[in-house]
Amino acid sequence: MSRRLALATAAAGMALALAAAASARAAQVQIVNANNPGEGFSDPTPVAPVAGNPGTTRGEQRLNAFAAAAAYWANRVESAVPIQVLASMRPLTCSPTSGILGSAGPVSVARDFGGAPRPNTWYVAALANAMTGTDLHGGADLVAHFNSRLDSDPGCLGGRGWWYGVGAAPPGNAVSFYATVLHEIGHGLGFLTLVSSETGERFEGFDDAYMAFLEDHSTGKGWTAMTDAERAASAQDTGDLHWTGPAVVAAGGALQAGRHPGGHVQMYAPAPVRGGSSVSHWDTALVPDELMEPRATPNPVDVVTTALLADLGWNAQAAGDCLRDADTACLVGGRFAVEVEWRTAAEGGVGRLMSFGSQRAESQDSSFWWFFGPTNYELGVKVLDGCAVNGHFWVFASGLTNQGWTVTVRDGRSGLLKTYDNPLGTLSPAFADTRAFRCN
Amino acid sequence: MHTLAALALLLPALAADSAPAREARAPASVAICSLAAGDCRSAAAAELDPTRWPAGPRQVAYVDPVTGAFVEPTREQLAATRAPLVLREQARLRAAVETIRFADGTVVAVPAGGFLVELWAEAPAGVAGEAQAEVRP
């Protein structure tokens, strides 16, 4: 079965059976298509499939890309209450040089519910529901509208359309719908402050969960201890506004810039202030570029973004943590995800982890794989911690096959991904990449 | 019918499919529901999340938006299609806020239209009608 499941063909029962190897964190994200038949997410216009998106109508491609973004978050946060996103595509403001790509955000917020970590503090609806295990308000938790004119109006943004590919960087200057939705759902899950960055005023006179982890290094004050005027000034204190939450501090070691030596991570605080962008994003100084920065970057990573959600109170899985299943090995404490694809002249497929007896053939650092039958060993892959030797993790592989294969190793800490190929018809050599991934 | 109101009507019908007990943790999933059709279908999130896919080689092709034919773009066209969009977000002003107070002390606030943030893009003019890039796996 293709790993790139076409959602359009997935029946409900089948889909749940596919996920028998449940991840450690899980939520269901419900996308509620608010468009009428024939428009928006139901647009029947025929289109050619694009990277990672097999949809053959514009509506299908839009939903597939939206679903992929929703899946990203469903895999990383836990909630017994479905997270409901009311979604539509509709004509919004657009000119040749300027236009709204979309608008999105949480529908409601709640405070002082049973089990709330902080009293008198607003939490976005989806998070409050997750914490209480009940749907506090009912209805949608997030709302998201996107501009259909990018596809239908050649005068909109110079004729750039949405690009509905998934799992690849968009070509040229195309606008990635997947990346846009991913970012906007992040805000809806709580990656935003309700404080006015212009005036410093709190929403309805109460703190929000986000501001509890904001600190201005030039004054040493946290946002909850500031006056409105101090918060407004802090929102423009470029380079000095930081996130202090423990999960971000713990996860941020892979950042090469934008992180204070003490572990605090810079937030976006340009002067003058920029409406909905200031404070509610990571600083653009972060290297590598992070998912929730206030600009489109080709290959953003999630080193600290999911960790920020954990600081807010989500039971959240660090984005890079490996999700172990029948065709994914999680090595070195789960930091590295290993997957294998194989191909013959006639067919191809996904490598599967072997079992010896009933024991999964996977240890702390090694994994054994089969292609054609569960007793037929084809390939071994291991990742070793060579940090004390040369500051890198090492990747080794060797096979007993002349079929083509591709090994993919993903470093959950940095988000970096490496692939190793063996051409079809070549007996696999053993190889060693002793500079595969930097330790820090 | 207002979409939020319509959603409230639809959601009870989804409840049996979507409210697993906390102890019996369900796998991550995505459900797509249609207000117009009143139904849902779901898929495992692990299969949809592209960060879980192996990387593979990809080829970039350029398609003439008028004829649909594959074309070899000029250097100028390539430069034009790579001109970056500048993004900015703008919080939409919140007007009326509905506040609901529950007996247990919970307070829920629902601003009209939600906490919407508009994502704006600004583009240099002059690329309309030029080759659009497309990535094929």
Side-chain angles (χ1 to χ4, degrees), chain A residues 156-219:
Chain A
C156 175
L157 290 172
R160 296 167 168 85
W162 286 112
W163 185 68
Y164 295 106
V166 174
N173 68 348
V175 185
S176 168
F177 186 72
Y178 164 78
T180 304
V181 175
L182 191 66
H183 183 104
E184 295 306 316
I185 293 179
H187 284 312
L189 295 177
F191 202 115
L192 84 170
T193 182
L194 308 181
V195 171
S196 164
S197 49
E198 287 89 352
T199 66
E201 189 179 0
R202 298 172 301 168
F203 177 66
E204 298 287 291
F206 290 92
D207 291 348
D208 62 63
Y210 188 92
M211 61 187 284
F213 299 98
L214 294 173
E215 180 182 289
D216 195 308
H217 278 201
S218 64
T219 64

Side-chain angles (χ1 to χ4, degrees), chain A residues 175-361:
Chain A
V175 185
S176 168
F177 186 72
Y178 164 78
T180 304
V181 175
L182 191 66
H183 183 104
E184 295 306 316
I185 293 179
H187 284 312
L189 295 177
F191 202 115
L192 84 170
T193 182
L194 308 181
V195 171
S196 164
S197 49
E198 287 89 352
T199 66
E201 189 179 0
R202 298 172 301 168
F203 177 66
E204 298 287 291
F206 290 92
D207 291 348
D208 62 63
Y210 188 92
M211 61 187 284
F213 299 98
L214 294 173
E215 180 182 289
D216 195 308
H217 278 201
S218 64
T219 64
K221 264 189 171 180
W223 266 41
T224 57
M226 290 182 182
T227 64
D228 290 356
E230 287 172 329
R231 276 189 290 271
S234 178
Q236 304 181 51
D237 196 0
T238 308
D240 279 324
L241 180 62
H242 286 75
W243 188 268
T244 64
V248 166
V249 169
L255 293 176
Q256 295 153 30
R259 183 175 188 255
H260 186 271
H264 295 176
V265 176
Q266 286 176 219
M267 306 306 292
Y268 186 57
V273 71
R274 300 196 67 180
S277 295
S278 292
V279 186
S280 295
H281 293 90
W282 298 115
D283 197 334
T284 54
L286 267 60
V287 176
D289 292 325
E290 187 71 15
L291 171 60
M292 294 302 286
E293 289 187 24
R295 62 182 183 183
T297 52
N299 293 299
V301 299
D302 183 351
V303 174
V304 285
T305 294
T306 301
L308 183 148
L309 296 184
D311 281 332
L312 293 176
W314 280 102
N315 193 357
Q317 174 154 350
D321 283 1
C322 183
L323 303 178
R324 183 175 277 113
D325 61 21
D327 46 29
T328 305
C330 300
L331 305 183
V332 193
R335 172 167 173 172
F336 295 96
V338 179
E339 294 182 336
V340 175
E341 286 188 328
W342 57 267
R343 56 199 173 273
T344 69
E347 59 178 343
V350 176
R352 304 280 176 177
L353 259 297
M354 295 188 74
S355 291
F356 296 139
S358 59
Q359 294 296 311
R360 186 178 163 92

Side-chain angles (χ1 to χ4, degrees), chain B residues 73-134:
Chain B
T74 65
R75 184 176 299 177
E76 291 72 26
Q77 284 174 320
L78 272 179
T81 59
R82 287 172 181 162
L85 284 173
V86 176
L87 301 182
R88 63 182 167 87
E89 286 180 296
Q90 181 174 311
R92 189 181 289 178
L93 290 177
R94 293 186 286 268
V97 176
E98 178 192 3
T99 303
I100 306 162
R101 296 176 185 277
F102 293 87
D104 68 353
T106 300
V107 180
V108 173
V110 191
F115 294 89
L116 281 183
V117 175
E118 291 177 339
L119 178 60
W120 284 79
E122 290 160 7
V127 298
E130 293 174 345
Q132 296 178 340
E134 181 170 310

